[in-house]
Structures are given as structure tokens and as C-alpha cells.
Amino acid sequence: MTKKNNVISIPELVKNVTLLRLTGEVESLKRQQKEICEMAARSILLALDCKDHYTYGHSTRVAYYSVTLGKELGLSEEELYDLELSALFHDIGKIGVPDSVLLKPTRLTEEEFLLMKSHPTKSYEILKDFEPFQDIALYAKSHHERYDGRGYPDGLKGEDIPLYSRIILIADTFDAMTSTRPYRKGLPYEVAFNELEEFSGSQFDPELVVHFIKAMQKEEAKDEKTFKLTIIDGDFEKQAA
Ligand SMILES: [Fe+2]
């Protein structure tokens, strides 16, 4: 009697095999969707590289700094992946800013500044209708929101600003300060850390600033010239080119 009960029936066996096959197919479809998203991401980023090589390099460094902070915060692999993608895309809206404004080496007029300030909304517009990038679109849109609510485009405040956007703002500002440009030399890390601390609680999430500085000091101690990303292959230079 007991022995008979342990034997799996033919219909049950067929059901289990079918379930296993379906699970395998779902996993394979998920992998395929991820690959297609990555191909789409790389194509869009290539368009940014064609438009402005500096902004492309800046976006890769912002992704690296964001993920470094994300790791310090203990984010999961999946969360780090979305954070990297959001950071890579944060300035994608600059594709829609005229070269005369985007590449202008001198001070922008008020009108030009307004055009420049439209780039987070443009990032959102570019990404929002591709379903797998809908959340990423929102994180990109909010990367110039300030912790005190005086940022743009929506004047979001504190933790109403998505976490990834608060992370990207710190990474973005840090790269802008430490990158050497034709018209000025990049600041040393320590000076940039002081700047972040000065605007901690007004521009930046104060808790994230503490974690960022800690994470970047550990990175600095490794003394590596390059970094890697998950979504784009290759070694990236830490210093702007
Ligand atoms: Fe930006």
C-alpha cells in the first residue's frame, strides 16, 4: 500500500515535466528580454557618444560612482543593475540640447540655461515609452532634484526623490568636480569630498554623502586607473578623456 502511494502517476509525471519545461522557457525568455534591453541600451548610448563624447564618458563614470555607492548601501545585484542603467542614461536627454548650448565653453545665457535644464525631462521622454525602461526614465528625470526641494524639474524634496536619483546626483556632481576639462583641472578627491559635505542636507541626501565618501575612499585606496561596467564591455578610464 505505502509503496504504491509513493509511485508517481503518469498524468502527474506529465504535469511535472510540462511545468519544468515551462519554467525553463520563462527563464530563457527573461534572458532574451534582458539581452534585447542591453542591445537597445548600447545603441542609445552610442547615439550619445556620437553627439558628445565627453557626456558619454561622464555617464560611464557616473554609473561607476553610483554603483560604488550602491554596493556600500548593500543593494542587491538586480538593484545595482537598474542603478547602473539609470546612471548610464541620466543625461541621455542632452541628445536633444543644441550643440551651440551643450558644447559652449563660456557662460550660458539665461535662455541657453533653460534649454540645458530641459535635459532631465528629455531623458524621461526618450525612455518612458519603452516598457522595460519606464522606471529608469523616472530615475533619470529626477537626477537634478535637490534634497531641500529647490531642484528641478518637479521640485521634489527629501525621500520623495527616488533613491537612485539621489545617488546619481552625488555621483554626477562628484564627476563634474573631479574631471579635468580643457578649461580647468579636476579637483582632488579630498577637495570634492569637502564640497559634497558642504552641500550635504541642502543639495544632497546627508546619509548618502557619508556612505559615498566612505565608499570612494576605499576605491581610491585600490589605486586602479580603470573600471568595468556590467552593461557595456571593456575597461573605462577613470580620468575624463
Ligand atoms: Fe544632468
Side-chain angles (χ1 to χ4, degrees):
M1 186 74 179
T2 318
K3 205 175 178 186
K4 201 177 170 187
N5 280 347
N6 281 343
V7 174
I8 192 163
S9 68
I10 298 288
E12 246 181 294
L13 188 65
V14 170
K15 195 175 127 195
N16 287 350
V17 169
T18 309
L19 270 177
L20 267 179
R21 194 168 52 79
L22 284 175
T23 309
E25 280 175 16
V26 168
E27 285 308 311
S28 158
L29 281 171
K30 275 187 189 167
R31 270 197 304 278
Q32 277 178 39
Q33 193 201 22
K34 197 174 174 188
E35 277 165 27
I36 289 168
C37 286
E38 286 185 2
M39 283 192 278
R42 285 192 287 270
S43 292
I44 299 168
L45 289 164
L46 192 58
L48 179 64
D49 195 12
C50 291
K51 165 81 175 177
D52 178 15
H53 183 65
Y54 172 78
T55 300
Y56 172 77
H58 161 74
S59 302
T60 62
R61 292 188 299 279
V62 171
Y64 155 63
Y65 297 137
S66 297
V67 169
T68 301
L69 172 52
K71 284 180 183 165
E72 183 71 24
L73 297 173
L75 299 188
S76 68
E77 283 300 314
E78 212 172 306
E79 289 167 330
L80 290 173
Y81 183 88
D82 283 349
L83 175 59
E84 180 179 318
L85 200 51
S86 309
L88 281 171
F89 275 148
H90 78 286
D91 271 350
I92 203 73
K94 286 189 176 171
I95 288 176
V97 176
D99 285 356
S100 57
V101 176
L102 186 62
L103 308 175
K104 190 176 174 184
T106 51
R107 202 181 173 84
L108 300 180
T109 64
E110 203 173 319
E111 197 185 334
E112 289 167 339
F113 189 58
L114 280 177
L115 266 172
M116 191 62 131
K117 274 178 79 175
S118 70
H119 79 271
T121 307
K122 286 194 165 90
S123 297
Y124 173 72
E125 294 290 332
I126 289 169
L127 302 168
K128 74 176 172 41
D129 290 329
F130 184 51
E131 200 271 336
F133 292 163
Q134 272 173 1
D135 290 342
I136 308 292
L138 284 170
Y139 306 143
K141 186 186 181 190
S142 297
H143 80 270
H144 279 289
E145 299 290 357
R146 291 170 49 119
Y147 201 70
D148 59 10
R150 290 171 54 225
Y152 60 90
D154 299 315
L156 299 179
K157 196 174 179 179
E159 301 202 352
D160 287 343
I161 307 165
L163 172 66
Y164 297 172
S165 310
R166 279 179 274 144
I167 291 176
I168 293 167
L169 176 65
I170 294 174
D172 186 13
T173 312
F174 184 76
D175 185 62
M177 289 192 289
T178 55
S179 293
T180 293
R181 305 299 308 269
Y183 46 88
R184 61 148 179 81
K185 199 172 164 6
L187 298 175
Y189 276 18
E190 286 306 320
V191 179
F193 293 154
N194 291 340
E195 289 287 314
L196 290 179
E197 277 171 340
E198 194 181 329
F199 294 96
S200 172
S202 53
Q203 192 171 352
F204 311 114
D205 179 329
E207 207 179 311
L208 292 182
V209 168
V210 173
H211 287 293
F212 181 75
I213 293 173
K214 202 169 145 201
M216 287 310 299
Q217 280 168 337
K218 284 190 235 168
E219 278 298 294
E220 205 181 4
K222 290 184 193 165
D223 199 25
E224 293 165 344
K225 298 268 178 289
T226 59
F227 61 89
K228 285 188 185 294
L229 295 172
T230 308
I231 292 150
I232 319 173
D233 284 337
D235 292 307
F236 294 89
E237 295 290 326
K238 286 189 181 176
Q239 191 46 252

